[in-house]
């Protein structure tokens, strides 16, 4: 619910509404939308006060329908959010390409991939040190050793680093090495992880859950932002459907839908959607054409021997080739790579 204040509402009247909600234990969010000042009634305690608030001085109306994710919704902040990660801005004119291996395996691998993708125009380095694997017998990641390699190669190549955190107790450690924390599809509804990622300073890349709706993704983002961290980037990485020709189905329409509903930047992950390297450049192009603010792409110097997701990892040459082809698509939608 949204309380719309009168254009002539005095400061005293506005303060009285805010104080009333707070005194009754309700949560609110004040925002200026065009010419109007809105007070969002966020929780059920605040919403229960609507009849009294409607009668208060300075209130023009109380609107009943508002999304349940006020902090991330366009209704409360019409303009787009730009998220800065080091010297990179996500959500501006540039389409930010984040590239690197699925898992950090060793120094030679990360250096070879990092140097090559940086040369081809990647702006951020990705790589998993803590891997959420479907099987407990699969490679689980190098842990802190992997984080140290990411920090080193990120610095050498001038790219900020994004890497996954899988448990609340690891956040401080991962944040001490990484520029951006990734919350993966399998953890999109790990609500303690979300809240704790919201209580620290590093920006967060939040991936859509494998069977999650757009609304559930936005509510997951709301956990992070309402806990105090507004630097959140959303990622469409494919969802599970009846189709088995691809690993997941890239929900292209989710990109413009998310951008209509939320002011947060949205990126696409063609690698985990495709599951197969020959499809990745096609999905990457579709993502940019649909309005994505960036791409998350898996690249490996020797995909055949990769410890995870080799099948969907581009070779170094394949990545270079894809980047060349993406520039024209970005320009066609008034963006640059
Ligand atoms: C990854 O980025 O390597 C990853 C595990 O992604 P997702 O959480 O989307 O499966
Ligand atoms: Mn992967």
């Amino acid at each position: 619910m949204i309380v719309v204040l009168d254009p002539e509402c005095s400061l005293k009247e506005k303060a009285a509404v805010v104080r009333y909600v707070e005194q009754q234990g309700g949560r609110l969010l004040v925002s200026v939308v065009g010419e109007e000042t809105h007070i969002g009634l966020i929780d059920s305690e605040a919403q229960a006060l609507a009849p009294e608030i409607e009668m208060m001085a300075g209130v023009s109306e109380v609107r009943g329908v508002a999304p349940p994710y006020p902090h991330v919704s366009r209704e409360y902040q019409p303009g787009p959010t730009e998220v800065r990660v080091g010297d990179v801005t996500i959500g501006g004119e540039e389409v930010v390409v984040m590239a690197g291996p699925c898992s950090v395996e060793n120094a030679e691998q990360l250096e070879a991939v990092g140097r090559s993708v940086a040369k081809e125009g990647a702006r951020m380095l990705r790589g998993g040190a803590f891997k959420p694997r479907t099987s407990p017998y699969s490679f689980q990641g190098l842990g802190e050793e992997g984080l140290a390699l990411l920090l080193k190669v990120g610095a050498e190549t001038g790219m900020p680093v994004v890497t996954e955190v899988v448990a609340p107790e690891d956040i401080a450690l991962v944040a001490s090495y990484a520029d951006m924390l990734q919350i993966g599809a399998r953890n999109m509804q790990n609500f303690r992880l979300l809240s704790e990622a919201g209580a620290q300073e590093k920006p967060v890349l939040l991936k859509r859950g494998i069977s999650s709706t757009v609304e559930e993704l936005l509510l997951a983002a709301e956990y992070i932002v309402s806990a105090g961290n507004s630097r959140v980037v959303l990622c469409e990485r494919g969802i599970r459907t009846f189709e088995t020709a691809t690993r997941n189905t890239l929900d292209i329409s989710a990109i413009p839908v998310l951008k209509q509903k939320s002011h947060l930047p949205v990126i696409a992950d063609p690698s985990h959607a495709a599951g197969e390297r020959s499809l990745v450049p096609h999905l990457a192009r579709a993502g940019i054409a649909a309005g994505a603010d960036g791409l998350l792409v898996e690249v490996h110097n020797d995909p055949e021997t990769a410890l995870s997701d080799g099948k969907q990892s581009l070779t170094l040459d394949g990545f270079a080739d894809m980047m060349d082809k993406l520039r024209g698509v970005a320009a066609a939608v008034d963006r640059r790579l």
Side-chain angles (χ1 to χ4, degrees):
M1 276 179 197
I2 296 176
V3 179
V4 181
L5 297 182
D6 232 23
E8 266 86 65
C9 174
S10 68
L11 259 181
K12 215 167 143 198
E13 288 165 341
K14 178 174 157 185
V17 177
V18 169
R19 205 174 324 113
Y20 178 60
V21 176
E22 286 178 348
Q23 276 172 354
Q24 302 297 315
R27 289 188 69 175
L28 55 81
L29 180 68
V30 181
S31 55
V32 178
V33 180
E35 308 282 286
E36 294 180 338
T37 299
H38 291 178
I39 298 177
L41 304 178
I42 295 180
D43 58 5
S44 49
E45 281 81 358
Q47 286 165 12
L49 307 172
E52 289 79 34
I53 294 172
E54 206 158 20
M55 311 298 287
M56 290 176 79
V59 172
S60 143
E61 60 168 321
V62 177
R63 290 185 194 147
V65 279
Y69 38 81
H71 289 87
V72 307
S73 104
R74 285 262 184 200
E75 310 229 350
Y76 289 82
Q77 184 192 308
T81 287
E82 291 186 354
V83 173
R84 265 189 92 71
V85 187
D87 62 346
V88 175
T89 300
I90 308 168
E93 192 195 336
E94 184 181 11
V95 176
V96 174
V97 177
M98 310 171 186
C102 176
S103 300
V104 177
E105 297 171 9
N106 53 60
E108 296 71 39
Q109 171 232 25
L110 194 62
E111 272 162 16
V113 176
R115 270 194 228 116
S116 181
V117 297
K119 185 166 116 297
E120 300 303 334
R123 298 280 275 126
M124 288 180 59
L125 178 65
R126 68 143 287 147
F130 291 96
K131 295 304 299 176
R133 302 306 299 279
T134 301
S135 163
Y137 308 115
S138 299
F139 177 58
Q140 303 286 312
L142 293 181
E144 189 167 2
E145 189 190 337
L147 295 175
L149 287 173
L150 284 163
L151 179 69
K152 179 167 175 284
V153 177
E156 281 169 10
T157 55
M159 292 185 289
V161 164
V162 56
T163 192
E164 182 159 355
V165 58
V166 296
E169 60 272 24
D170 293 343
I171 286 184
L173 175 73
V174 178
S176 71
Y177 287 94
D179 300 288
M180 183 178 217
L181 306 182
Q182 177 173 323
I183 295 184
R186 290 155 193 81
N187 268 315
M188 191 206 84
Q189 287 191 316
N190 181 337
F191 300 116
R192 268 202 51 221
L193 184 64
L194 297 171
S195 297
E196 296 197 18
Q200 57 82 54
E201 308 247 292
K202 291 281 164 86
V204 178
L205 176 62
L206 177 64
K207 300 188 86 173
R208 181 178 181 181
I210 196 160
S211 302
S212 298
T213 62
V214 161
E215 175 156 309
E216 286 164 343
L217 172 58
L218 291 170
L219 283 165
E222 183 77 11
Y223 264 90
I224 303 171
V225 179
S226 66
N229 186 352
S230 58
R231 295 160 76 204
V232 176
V233 174
L234 306 171
C235 179
E236 164 57 41
R237 46 79 74 205
I239 50 174
R240 183 164 286 174
T241 68
F242 55 80
E243 183 54 74
T244 53
T246 47
R247 182 178 181 185
N248 292 289
T249 299
L250 183 65
D251 183 6
I252 276 291
S253 37
I255 297 168
V257 169
L258 285 166
K259 293 196 65 106
Q260 274 173 12
K261 292 183 182 295
S262 174
H263 51 81
L264 297 176
V266 179
I267 70 165
D269 171 349
S271 306
H272 290 86
E276 150 62 42
R277 89 176 56 87
S278 68
L279 300 173
V280 170
H282 300 280
L283 302 192
R285 276 181 255 170
I288 294 178
D293 297 300
L295 296 173
L296 185 69
V297 184
E298 288 185 340
V299 182
H300 200 286
N301 54 333
D302 185 13
E304 302 315 316
T305 64
L307 296 180
S308 61
D309 286 350
K311 221 168 131 245
Q312 69 197 31
S313 297
L314 294 176
T315 59
L316 304 184
D317 287 347
F319 180 75
D321 196 48
M322 179 188 77
M323 289 296 278
D324 275 347
K325 296 197 174 110
L326 292 182
R327 289 200 174 85
V329 180
V333 290
D334 299 322
R335 308 289 290 266
R336 68 186 158 79
L337 216 60

